[in-house]
């Protein structure tokens, strides 16, 4: 199978690089300065076993590939706010034999959040969800640093909305040959909703920096408690923290990297650091806000985090530049509750 990685940033770059190292056929899709650097100098991938550069085929749009191959796998690794444009561009591409990508090719949503799979199913007949646990940093064009070992990441995969098939198992086998643990599961969205709860912390981190301060942790606990209440009201199952940790134990441990290039912040922090002007918060905290409104559960903390993070992105404010005290004061104003732990 040939893997077309649509969005060769943090997740896409590390998955594409690892697959290429294992001998698999990979094409990267990128844009802007990242695209130019990949074409000029290749993809520089740093992992605990060293730094190397991969000269892989890189395109900016589907037309550059011509007809797609029947054995192509489309891996959607853009941020969810960019999914609609990518799905529109790739779904109508012709495939050798007279079909289109939407009709015949598997599309894997290797993204945070839970909305891209539903978007994809409007166009693609074969959609796969992927729950991505992959500690990776991409803040400079052409470079990706992934600190996990012995596996670079853990990527649960399954059909959307439920089930598995032979294609899921083939993709998982290819990933595992590339140091990416990939359990095949019947209920992949249960894993993705569990990850969604964990990703509610992304906005806190993007705004204030590493979530280690007790007050920042308290805000995150409030956001997660809202999320758990919303999912319960909606009747949506989610993998708990304990089950996630059991899968990761001994399989995904952060290790030192060359030149101190290890993870410095999550995906939302990295978006602010790159000054992209957008952030995926509408599909993380905003997803819980949406479900809360649908099911009558207030989500004031997640609402506030969503608004603040979007403002930071639009104004291109520096990642981590909001003092924790200001965030706490804001949360107290919108909830009427002081989130700080009692001492």
């Amino acid at each position: 199978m040939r893997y077309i990685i649509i969005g060769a940033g943090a997740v896409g770059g590390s998955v594409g690089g690892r697959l290429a190292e294992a001998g698999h056929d990979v094409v990267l899709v990128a844009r802007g300065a990242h695209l130019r650097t990949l074409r000029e100098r290749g993809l520089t991938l740093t992992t605990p076993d060293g730094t190397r550069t991969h000269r892989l085929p890189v395109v900016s749009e589907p037309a550059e590939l011509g007809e797609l191959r029947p054995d192509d796998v489309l891996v959607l690794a853009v941020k969810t706010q960019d999914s609609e444009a990518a799905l529109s561009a790739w779904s109508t591409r012709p495939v050798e034999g007279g079909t289109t990508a939407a009709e015949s090719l598997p599309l894997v949503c290797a993204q945070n959040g839970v909305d891209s799979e539903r978007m994809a199913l409007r166009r693609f007949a074969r959609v796969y969800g992927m729950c991505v646990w992959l500690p990776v940093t991409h803040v400079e064009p052409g470079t990706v640093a992934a600190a996990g070992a012995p596996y670079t990441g853990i990527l649960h995969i399954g059909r959307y909305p439920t089930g598995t098939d032979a294609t899921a198992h083939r993709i998982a086998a290819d990933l595992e040959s590339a140091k990416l643990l990939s359990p095949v599961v019947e209920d992949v969205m249960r894993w993705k909703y569990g990850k969604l709860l964990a990703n509610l912390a992304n906005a806190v981190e993007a705004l204030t920096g590493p979530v280690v301060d007790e007050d920042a942790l308290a805000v995150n606990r409030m956001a997660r408690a809202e999320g758990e209440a919303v999912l319960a009201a909606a009747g949506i199952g989610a993998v708990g923290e304990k089950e996630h940790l059991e899968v990761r134990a001994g399989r995904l441990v952060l290790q030192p990297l060359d030149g101190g290039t290890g993870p410095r912040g999550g995906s939302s922090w990295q978006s602010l650091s790159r000054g992209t002007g957008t952030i995926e918060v509408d599909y993380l905290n905003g997803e819980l806000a949406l479900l809360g409104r649908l099911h009558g559960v207030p989500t004031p903390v997640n609402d506030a985090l969503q608004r603040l993070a979007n403002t930071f992105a639009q104004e291109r404010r520096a990642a981590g530049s909001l003092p924790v005290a200001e965030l706490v004061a804001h949360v107290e104003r919108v909830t009427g509750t002081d989130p700080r732990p009692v001492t």
Side-chain angles (χ1 to χ4, degrees), residues 248-267:
R248 295 165 61 188
R251 301 178 181 93
L252 182 57
V253 179
L254 298 187
Q255 299 286 341
L257 297 179
D258 291 348
T261 54
R264 286 173 276 167
S267 56

Side-chain angles (χ1 to χ4, degrees), residues 129-140:
M130 179 172 281
C131 179
V132 178
W133 286 95
L134 206 169
V136 58
T137 297
H138 165 58
V139 292
E140 297 178 4

Side-chain angles (χ1 to χ4, degrees), residues 8-336:
V11 170
S14 53
V15 170
R18 277 303 204 188
L19 283 169
E21 289 174 0
H24 300 287
D25 199 355
V26 174
V27 176
L28 303 179
V29 183
R31 59 187 181 183
H34 190 46
L35 169 70
R36 293 190 295 273
T37 303
L38 290 173
R39 283 177 167 166
E40 293 168 4
R41 301 201 299 267
L43 171 69
T44 300
L45 175 63
T46 298
T47 63
D49 44 8
T51 297
R52 51 265 184 222
T53 298
H54 301 287
R55 301 302 300 244
L56 302 174
V58 186
V59 301
S60 63
E61 58 183 25
E64 294 180 46
L65 282 176
E67 274 195 324
L68 301 179
R69 297 176 358 191
D71 66 340
D72 282 338
V73 176
L74 304 181
V75 179
L76 189 65
V78 298
K79 294 291 194 297
T80 304
Q81 64 267 27
D82 297 320
S83 289
E84 186 61 35
L87 292 167
S88 176
W90 286 89
S91 61
T92 57
R93 294 308 303 166
V95 178
E96 295 170 9
T99 66
T100 65
E103 293 173 283
S104 61
L105 297 186
L107 179 118
V108 181
C109 296
Q111 302 160 287
N112 287 333
V114 294
D115 206 43
S116 282
E117 287 83 359
R118 188 170 183 270
M119 289 186 213
L121 203 60
R122 292 181 183 275
R123 291 187 171 90
F124 284 82
R126 301 170 63 196
V127 177
Y128 298 77
M130 179 172 281
C131 179
V132 178
W133 286 95
L134 206 169
V136 58
T137 297
H138 165 58
V139 292
E140 297 178 4
T143 66
V144 174
Y151 288 100
T152 297
I154 301 178
L155 311 175
H156 288 76
I157 186 172
R159 283 296 296 260
Y160 177 79
T162 60
T164 66
D165 61 13
T167 299
H169 284 277
R170 285 187 65 194
I171 294 169
D174 285 351
L175 291 169
E176 296 207 4
S177 74
K179 298 187 178 181
L180 293 158
L181 184 64
S182 186
V184 179
V185 293
E186 296 273 351
D187 54 351
V188 69
M189 296 311 292
R190 177 172 167 266
W191 287 88
K192 294 201 72 166
Y193 275 103
K195 179 76 186 308
L196 175 64
L197 290 174
N199 284 146
L200 297 180
N202 287 22
V204 179
E205 179 189 54
L207 293 166
T208 66
V211 186
V212 293
D213 181 285
E214 280 300 322
D215 292 350
L217 288 166
V219 172
N220 181 55
R221 283 193 292 269
M222 291 179 73
R224 185 177 179 110
E226 287 180 359
E228 291 171 348
V230 165
L231 295 188
I236 295 173
V239 169
E241 291 179 281
K242 181 180 178 182
E243 192 171 354
H244 265 302
L245 290 173
E246 287 173 350
V247 171
R248 295 165 61 188
R251 301 178 181 93
L252 182 57
V253 179
L254 298 187
Q255 299 286 341
L257 297 179
D258 291 348
T261 54
R264 286 173 276 167
S267 56
S268 298
W269 182 92
Q270 292 174 45
S271 291
L272 292 185
S273 296
R274 294 196 304 273
T276 61
T278 66
I279 194 169
E280 63 188 338
V281 68
D282 287 346
Y283 299 95
L284 301 178
N285 306 81
E287 179 70 28
L288 273 304
L290 168 62
L291 287 171
R293 291 171 191 135
L294 289 172
H295 296 279
V297 179
T299 58
V301 177
N302 283 288
D303 295 347
L305 291 171
Q306 181 184 7
R307 288 192 296 269
L308 286 169
N310 274 325
T311 298
F312 263 57
Q314 291 159 9
E315 296 178 356
R316 289 177 166 77
R317 295 173 63 179
S321 61
L322 181 70
V324 173
E326 288 189 24
L327 176 61
V328 168
H330 185 79
V331 168
E332 186 172 6
R333 282 196 300 273
V334 299
T335 65

